[in-house]
Amino acid sequence: MTHPRTTEPLLELRGVSAAYGGVRALQDVDIVLGEGEFVVLLGPNGAGKTTTLRTVSGLLQPTSGSIRLQGRTITRVPGWRRTGLGLGHVPEGRQIFPDHTVEENLRLGAFAHRRARERTQRTLAELLELFPVLGERRNQPAGTLSGGEAQMLAVARALMSEPRLLMLDEPSLGLAPIKTAELFGYVQRLHSERGLAVLLVEQEALTALRLADRGYVLERGRVVLAGSAQQLRDDPRVQAAYLGAAPTT
Ligand code: ATP
C-alpha cells in the first residue's frame, strides 16, 4: 500500500465498522487521506462507499473504530459540528432545496459559520464567480436548474463552509458526459490551485483514477485493495471489474 504525502493525516479511519439496524455495511475499514490529497473510493453497488462518507460526516455512528480529522478524534462529534471542523459533504442525489433560490441554498451551506456574515458574503461572492452559471441564476428557485447546474450548486453549497476536505458521492450520476467533465474540471482546479483534499465516490472508475492520487476498493463493506491511482489502473482485478478489461486467467 502506498502512503499519503504528509505524515499527519487529514482524515484517518481505523477499524471502522457500521451497520443499518442488523445489516452490516462496513467492517474494519482503514482509510487514510493526507492534507491536500485526492482519494477515490471504488467498488460495486452495496460495497459501502456511501456508508463510508456518511460515517465520516457523522450521519451514521460507527459501531466500532475511530475517525480522526487533523489528529482530533471526531468519532462522537455530531455531524453538524463536523462541518465547522472542515468537512464538506456532497451527498448522493444532491439534496438541494428546490423551492429555495440558488443563493438561499448556498447560504444554508454556511450554517457552520453563520455568525461571520462578512466571511459568508465573501465566500458567496467567490463561489458565484467560480461557478458563473450559479451567479446568473442566483435568484432562481433551485428546482428550475438543470441536472448539471444542480450538481454544481450542491458542490458550491458544500464549499460555503470552506472545507479542507470535500467528499463527493457519485457526482456524475445522471449527468451527461460533458457536464461530468465540466464538474470534475472545477473539482480538479479546487484541488490543484487551492490544495483542497477530495474523497470521491465514483462509478466511472477510469475518470476517477485519472483525477485521483490514490484509491481504495471496497467490497462487501471491506477494503480489499488500496494503492496509488496508477497501481489501481494497472491492477488486473480493477481492470476486470471496473475498467472493462477481459478478466485474466
Ligand atoms: P451504491 O454504489 O449502490 O450506492 P455503496 O457502495 O455506496 O453502493 P452503501 O449504500 O454504502 O453502498 O451500502 C452498503 C450496504 O448497506 C448495502 O448492503 C446496502 O444495502 C446497505 N444499506 C445502505 N443504506 C441502507 C439503509 N438506509 N438501510 C438499510 N441498509 C442500508
Side-chain angles (χ1 to χ4, degrees):
M1 192 202 281
T2 53
H3 293 284
R5 286 192 294 248
T6 53
T7 45
E8 175 72 61
L10 176 62
L11 177 73
E12 197 175 3
L13 278 72
R14 291 286 172 213
V16 169
S17 298
Y20 297 96
V23 182
R24 272 198 192 178
L26 293 181
Q27 288 187 59
D28 210 15
V29 166
D30 286 352
I31 288 176
V32 180
L33 188 146
E35 194 76 57
E37 256 203 320
F38 195 137
V39 170
V40 64
L41 289 186
L42 302 174
N45 287 338
K49 305 179 300 294
T50 294
T51 304
T52 302
L53 299 197
R54 287 171 58 85
T55 308
V56 173
S57 65
L59 294 170
L60 188 68
Q61 271 296 318
T63 48
S64 59
S66 69
I67 304 170
R68 288 162 73 82
L69 186 69
Q70 291 180 282
R72 173 182 171 178
T73 301
I74 58 161
T75 322
R76 303 284 158 208
V77 172
W80 60 271
R81 280 238 169 94
R82 294 186 200 186
T83 310
L85 297 176
L87 276 182
H89 185 186
V90 182
E92 205 172 7
R94 298 158 205 158
Q95 298 182 12
I96 58 172
F97 298 98
D99 297 330
H100 287 287
T101 67
V102 166
E103 180 172 337
E104 285 163 350
N105 269 275
L106 288 172
R107 285 186 180 280
L108 285 167
F111 175 77
H113 300 306
R114 63 197 179 284
R115 287 191 195 91
R117 282 194 62 203
E118 273 176 30
R119 191 165 160 188
T120 300
Q121 210 53 41
R122 195 176 56 234
T123 311
L124 179 69
E126 263 178 38
L127 288 170
L128 292 176
E129 205 181 306
L130 182 68
F131 298 95
V133 73
L134 300 182
E136 287 161 24
R137 312 224 184 301
R138 94 189 259 176
N139 298 315
Q140 265 178 236
T144 63
L145 298 181
S146 71
E149 291 162 355
Q151 191 58 272
M152 278 180 202
L153 175 58
V155 171
R157 183 180 58 187
L159 293 172
M160 280 296 290
S161 66
E162 300 173 18
R164 306 276 290 261
L165 169 62
L166 183 66
M167 300 192 294
L168 296 153
D169 197 344
E170 298 200 31
S172 70
L173 211 65
L175 296 190
I178 190 164
K179 292 293 163 196
T180 302
E182 193 180 345
L183 181 75
F184 281 141
Y186 284 117
V187 174
Q188 182 60 34
R189 254 182 76 190
L190 289 159
H191 167 64
S192 57
E193 292 175 12
R194 300 190 187 188
L196 181 72
V198 179
L199 182 56
L200 170 69
V201 167
E202 184 51 56
Q203 291 286 347
E204 293 288 333
L206 195 55
T207 308
L209 288 171
R210 280 201 195 105
L211 295 166
D213 300 312
R214 290 189 307 118
Y216 294 84
V217 179
L218 287 172
E219 274 175 24
R220 291 186 296 276
R222 291 181 182 276
V223 174
V224 293
L225 211 55
S228 70
Q230 183 68 51
Q231 284 169 332
L232 293 182
R233 265 202 306 265
D234 292 345
D235 191 291
R237 289 165 291 177
V238 173
Q239 290 186 354
Y242 307 108
L243 304 180
T248 49
T249 49

